[in-house]
Amino acid sequence: MAVKSVALVAHDNKKKELVDWVAENRTRFAPLALYATGTTGRLLRENLQRDDIQCLLSGPLGGDQQIGAKIAEGEIDLLVFFWDPLEPQPHDPDIKALLRIAALWNIPVACNRATAEFILTSAYMTDDQHHPKKPDFSDYTGRKVSD
């Protein structure tokens, strides 16, 4: 069975909520490969006592872009991003780019606990036969470009 990969990202005011939620669902997360940005990854490692969480850079320092690259390369199956709708973020363009890449590559995205619960408990999370349809960009990549 192929292991599904989940990227976990949270803004500062949402880190505790994400860490608590993952801890409450540790059994469901046990067979999954986990990626996380900076501080979120450190907090998850400490709370879950799981050294196999791939910690990337902090979001504002390039971590959001690293997650986006992994999505584009087909390494991430689900993005769980608890973002804070009440706080402006200095790296807002990076956040928008991450969400755009997830939408572009047809990756499920959970931006709050309710949606994350629906996705995590979905039969598709444990179904090795189900893979979201990847878009075909051949028309775009093969287009003629004027000189």
Side-chain angles (χ1 to χ4, degrees), residues 1-4 77 122-132:
M1 180 163 119
V3 175
K4 297 231 191 278
D77 298 299
S122 165
Y124 290 137
M125 285 301 293
T126 56
D127 182 354
D128 193 35
Q129 303 305 309
H130 175 75
H131 302 284

Side-chain angles (χ1 to χ4, degrees), residues 8-29 39-40 43-48 80 82 113 116-117 120:
L8 300 162
V9 183
H11 287 155
D12 288 349
N13 291 339
K14 295 289 187 171
K15 288 186 190 317
K16 181 178 180 348
E17 181 181 0
L18 179 69
V19 170
D20 290 349
W21 175 72
V22 173
E24 289 168 20
N25 289 283
R26 74 177 65 238
T27 303
R28 290 184 190 277
F29 279 101
T39 308
T40 302
L43 293 171
L44 286 164
R45 276 184 171 184
E46 291 169 2
N47 282 273
L48 299 175
V80 177
F82 285 12
R113 188 176 182 134
E117 299 237 346
L120 187 64

